[in-house]
Amino acid sequence: MSRLYTLAATASDVADHFGAGGFTDIAVPSETIEALPGLVVHEANGRRHLRQMHWGFPRLTREMRLRGDPPGRIGLVADLTNPMWEGLVVEPRYRCLIPLTHFANPNGSPGEKTRSWFSAEGQPIMAWAGFCKNTPEMGPVYAGMTMDANSLVHPTNDRMPVLLMPHEYERWLHGSIKDVIGFQFRPPPPSETFIVEHTDDLWRSGKLPPSARPQQALL
């Protein structure tokens, strides 16, 4: 999947939805791409907390080390057996919920890609199954797990976020590695429950999905 999503909600609304404490005056980014801040709900000492972290774990390959390059970012978890993730995904303490209202995929011809936005009908705030950790290199970071896309999303990308229903939050946060695998490899959510908003906005335009834009006052 692509690396762009938005959260068209206040921090207070997000905290209420997830039953989380924390600083509800956190500024909600207009959009989030890898390396930029996003909001995350994680659990500690039996309580959920709302925090701001940066999207993407540090990634430093052997070639990057030889060149003296700084770490890059990787914000999507697709292969649970990858050495980067295999020790992380088994530990519930690293699980988190990533709030979002829409995720985007590029659509159209190379050089003229536009934004196509996807959201779930009847879910003003969605939860993306994620992992978070405080890293020495970059501080608190998070990444989201992906799965096969449904038929509505597939024309723009063959992967999509693993989205959770409210009754699944506890299982995600406390379940076993078998639960994690089960979430990733279950059938994708039905296309009939999703909404797509194709736009003429260029991929790098920074424009929100039409349904998330403030209503313009009538003149």
Side-chain angles (χ1 to χ4, degrees):
M1 60 168 279
S2 72
R3 294 165 170 84
L4 169 63
Y5 70 89
T6 190
L7 176 59
T10 66
S12 180
D13 289 338
V14 173
D16 288 344
H17 176 82
F18 291 99
F23 300 102
T24 56
D25 58 348
I26 297 174
V28 180
S30 59
E31 67 174 33
T32 297
I33 60 175
E34 274 184 335
L36 292 185
L39 298 190
V40 167
V41 175
H42 73 103
E43 190 167 300
N45 300 318
R47 298 184 62 183
R48 294 180 188 174
H49 301 271
L50 179 64
R51 290 189 60 186
Q52 188 179 85
M53 302 182 185
H54 283 77
W55 185 14
F57 277 65
R59 178 176 179 270
L60 190 61
T61 65
R62 181 174 178 272
E63 291 76 15
M64 293 167 72
R65 288 191 184 94
L66 290 174
R67 293 194 302 265
D69 294 343
R73 292 269 188 177
I74 181 167
L76 303 177
V77 182
D79 180 4
L80 300 178
T81 66
N82 186 298
M84 182 167 182
W85 308 120
E86 61 181 358
L88 184 85
V89 299
V90 299
E91 294 284 350
R93 62 194 171 109
Y94 295 127
R95 314 257 176 85
C96 66
L97 303 166
I98 306 168
L100 71 161
T101 55
H102 307 74
F103 64 92
N105 284 325
N107 198 8
S109 305
E112 299 178 350
K113 296 286 187 182
T114 56
R115 295 181 164 199
S116 288
W117 293 94
F118 300 88
S119 56
E121 192 169 7
Q123 294 184 56
I125 297 175
M126 299 185 289
W128 183 6
F131 305 93
C132 63
K133 187 178 181 181
N134 194 10
T135 64
E137 304 94 333
M138 296 179 174
V141 298
Y142 69 95
M145 190 166 68
T146 66
M147 68 186 304
D148 288 340
N150 63 27
S151 60
L152 186 69
V153 176
H154 198 276
T156 57
N157 205 300
D158 62 0
R159 305 290 291 176
M160 68 181 290
V162 175
L163 300 173
L164 306 170
M165 298 297 291
H167 70 272
E168 296 174 323
Y169 296 170
E170 280 293 313
R171 183 176 161 218
W172 171 253
L173 292 172
H174 299 284
S176 67
I177 184 59
K178 289 184 178 179
D179 292 306
V180 173
I181 294 169
F183 279 122
Q184 186 177 47
F185 290 99
R186 68 183 179 180
S191 297
E192 297 76 20
T193 63
F194 270 69
I195 299 167
V196 58
E197 297 175 80
H198 296 297
T199 74
D200 295 324
D201 303 325
L202 292 177
W203 182 247
R204 298 185 182 276
S205 66
K207 291 186 177 181
L208 294 173
S211 61
R213 296 173 190 171
Q215 295 296 314
Q216 299 295 319
L218 295 176
L219 298 178

